[in-house]
Amino acid sequence: MALTCLLLLKMLKVEMVGGKVLEETYMRWIHYKDECVKMIDSEPFPQGLFCNRTFDRYACWPDSPPGLVVNVSCPSYLPWFDKVSQGVVRRRCGSDGHWVEEEDGEVWRDMSQCEEEQEITSQELWFKQLMVSFRMLYTVGYTLSLFTLVSALIILLSIRKLHCTRNYIHANLFVSFILRAVSVIVKDTMLERHWGREIMRQADLGEMLSHEAAIGCRMAQVVMQYCVLANHYWFFGEAIYLYSVLIASVLIENKYLPYICLGWGTPLLFVLPWMLAKLLRENKECWAVNENMSYWWIIRFPILFASLINLLIFMKILKVILSKLRANNQNGYPDYKLRLAKATLTLIPLFGIHEVIFIFATDEQTTGILRYIKVFFTLFLNSFQGFLVAVLYCYCNKEVKTELAKKLRSWRMEMEVVCCGQ
């Protein structure tokens, strides 16, 4: 049977509150318990018949004469203590010098004055439902993106005629999206596993809040941040490649290594300092809460930087495309570079567009409905972005469709030969 400390967890509705609230409440509960134990050990015992002083893992009870109802203040560790500071929790001392028990054997206790207000509970329930809806939204988006990206990656890598620097960059972009989707799903699983475990003893709660238990979800958080940055910087690589093809040789077209360094190496320059800052200065929970927003800017700044540069490249390329369209208007068919530009330009505005829209609406500044709007669009665009990339770069690409059609005809002919041979 679970210990009575479960009552605390039921009141806190652990599944509705963040790990930060649970951790702080638990630390205050430890302090409250220690103070109660000191009182129990130091106070002299009264003469005659009385109900013993005790700590029932919810409130601290003094010695009491028989036949009285004992009132003690609501425990100070409650997250909503400010709202119930004038309330009391009650116990009844029986005429036999024992605390009165209920039919199930549990000691009777009235803590109605210390419970959270129903209005607040309704707000928390609404918030939880909203967060669950958001999570379902981006889980569906990342799952859909994952399947479409994996199949698109297989297509690009399995057809030799599609092997070139341009498609290698596309393939790495697909991989970054795949890793991002997997890392987000794994991170959510680790968080749920960390905070959602069943608690039967006080030791279980202490273990859940220990740094050792949080290592797994912290590593998942680090990997996710790396994958998000890598995803943005492979989009940055796509923009630079397109710029180099259309305007100037920023990176030589037949060189692949610079793009590898940009896409997979650059994120390490920001993730490692962020990880050290979290480890040394904000080593709490699963590193999912940003108390000091300056540490979060270590991750946020390079994303905003890449988004702004991409926007500038988009505007520059747009001018070039307009001029090329005018120049090739009489020919009736643009060259391959222009076709590449038209295919890729559909993604550059999509990449980071929400970052540009909310560039001045940072996490610490947005509140209320604006924050929810920002979260919705950010989650929606980030989760379904991989699906759109796979469709535009692969499934709707004329070159890919042509090579796939050739492959299908080749396989069909081979099957006919096999069938006729039999």
Side-chain angles (χ1 to χ4, degrees):
M1 180 178 178
L3 296 176
T4 53
C5 67
L6 278 176
L7 180 62
L8 168 63
L9 298 176
K10 290 178 181 179
M11 291 187 61
L12 289 177
K13 303 176 182 64
V14 175
E15 70 277 7
M16 296 188 186
V17 298
K20 181 173 181 285
V21 176
L22 178 59
E23 183 174 7
E24 292 177 351
T25 302
Y26 179 67
M27 297 308 297
R28 289 197 296 266
W29 179 83
I30 290 292
H31 178 73
Y32 182 89
K33 181 196 70 171
D34 292 342
E35 292 296 321
C36 183
V37 170
K38 288 180 182 179
M39 183 274 293
I40 291 174
D41 293 339
S42 60
E43 292 291 329
F45 289 94
Q47 300 294 325
L49 190 65
F50 61 92
C51 291
N52 287 328
R53 63 192 73 173
T54 184
F55 175 62
D56 62 359
R57 299 187 180 275
Y58 180 77
C60 188
W61 302 95
D63 298 320
S64 175
L68 295 180
V69 175
V70 182
N71 298 330
V72 297
S73 298
C74 292
S76 58
Y77 59 80
L78 295 175
W80 51 85
F81 177 72
D82 291 342
K83 298 182 177 64
V84 296
S85 58
Q86 303 300 319
V88 294
V89 57
R90 296 185 175 92
R91 262 192 181 195
R92 183 178 290 111
C93 182
S95 57
D96 57 353
H98 292 88
W99 296 107
V100 174
E101 296 180 353
E102 297 180 305
E103 293 180 358
D104 58 3
E106 295 290 333
V107 175
W108 176 85
R109 176 177 54 202
D110 178 15
M111 53 185 185
S112 58
Q113 296 184 28
C114 300
E115 292 180 348
E116 192 177 15
E117 296 179 7
Q118 188 63 36
E119 181 181 355
I120 304 299
T121 303
S122 299
Q123 292 178 1
E124 287 187 348
L125 181 60
W126 175 83
F127 180 75
K128 178 188 177 183
Q129 291 173 343
L130 182 64
M131 292 299 105
V132 169
S133 300
F134 282 169
R135 180 175 177 180
M136 289 180 61
L137 171 71
Y138 74 74
T139 300
V140 170
Y142 279 122
T143 303
L144 179 62
S145 297
L146 187 60
F147 284 108
T148 54
L149 285 163
V150 169
S151 58
L153 183 63
I154 292 173
I155 291 172
L156 284 185
L157 297 181
S158 60
I159 301 177
R160 287 188 177 182
K161 289 187 177 180
L162 296 177
H163 292 184
C164 61
T165 300
R166 170 171 51 85
N167 284 334
Y168 283 146
I169 295 175
H170 294 346
N172 277 276
L173 179 63
F174 292 173
V175 172
S176 71
F177 265 115
I178 291 170
L179 292 177
R180 178 173 181 170
V182 172
S183 66
V184 169
I185 294 172
V186 170
K187 184 263 299 180
D188 284 348
T189 303
M190 294 295 292
L191 284 173
E192 185 174 357
R193 183 179 178 183
H194 181 72
W195 295 116
R197 69 179 69 177
E198 186 177 4
I199 301 172
M200 300 299 293
R201 306 183 310 274
Q202 177 188 342
D204 294 337
L205 185 58
E207 180 184 351
M208 183 178 70
L209 295 173
S210 66
H211 292 304
E212 291 78 10
I215 289 177
C217 62
R218 287 173 183 171
M219 291 305 299
Q221 189 78 13
V222 171
V223 172
M224 188 200 71
Q225 298 297 347
Y226 173 80
C227 293
V228 170
L229 272 170
N231 185 227
H232 280 83
Y233 274 82
W234 273 109
F235 258 118
F236 193 20
E238 290 277 3
I240 290 179
Y241 176 78
L242 185 59
Y243 185 89
S244 68
V245 169
L246 291 176
I247 299 175
S249 297
V250 178
L251 291 179
I252 300 176
E253 185 176 349
N254 58 0
K255 295 294 184 180
Y256 183 47
L257 182 60
Y259 296 98
I260 291 289
C261 295
L262 176 66
W264 298 119
T266 304
L268 292 174
L269 301 178
F270 302 98
V271 172
L272 292 177
W274 174 80
M275 183 176 66
L276 290 175
K278 282 287 189 178
L279 183 64
L280 299 177
R281 299 292 185 180
E282 205 173 75
N283 195 23
K284 297 180 180 180
E285 312 158 34
C286 292
W287 294 356
V289 177
N290 300 300
E291 293 183 351
N292 189 335
M293 294 304 295
S294 60
Y295 301 145
W296 177 234
W297 274 99
I298 300 176
I299 296 293
R300 184 171 176 80
F301 171 76
I303 292 177
L304 292 178
F305 174 79
S307 300
L308 287 174
I309 297 299
N310 273 9
L311 182 62
L312 294 176
I313 292 176
F314 165 70
M315 295 170 65
K316 182 70 175 178
I317 293 176
L318 187 60
K319 293 175 63 177
V320 174
I321 286 185
L322 291 175
S323 63
K324 282 184 176 288
L325 285 174
R326 294 192 186 100
N328 291 289
N329 188 34
Q330 296 179 350
N331 297 334
Y333 196 78
D335 59 11
Y336 85 97
K337 293 182 179 180
L338 184 56
R339 285 186 283 128
L340 169 65
K342 290 171 67 175
T344 310
L345 273 175
T346 57
L347 293 178
I348 293 181
L350 182 64
F351 165 60
I353 192 66
H354 57 282
E355 298 289 346
V356 175
I357 291 175
F358 293 105
I359 190 170
F360 298 109
T362 58
D363 294 337
E364 61 269 28
Q365 292 174 337
T366 53
T367 57
I369 190 66
L370 177 60
R371 186 178 185 87
Y372 296 137
I373 292 174
K374 178 187 177 183
V375 169
F376 171 79
F377 280 104
T378 300
L379 293 178
F380 178 81
L381 292 174
N382 286 345
S383 59
F384 285 93
Q385 201 171 15
F387 169 75
L388 294 175
V389 167
V391 170
L392 293 171
Y393 271 113
C394 183
Y395 303 117
C396 292
N397 185 281
K398 291 183 179 179
E399 182 183 9
V400 174
K401 289 192 293 185
T402 301
E403 294 300 326
L404 276 177
K406 291 180 181 178
K407 278 287 184 182
L408 289 175
R409 285 197 297 267
S410 175
W411 290 338
R412 193 174 301 165
M413 293 176 61
E414 291 176 1
M415 292 299 295
E416 290 177 355
V417 170
V418 172
C419 293
C420 293
Q422 292 179 347

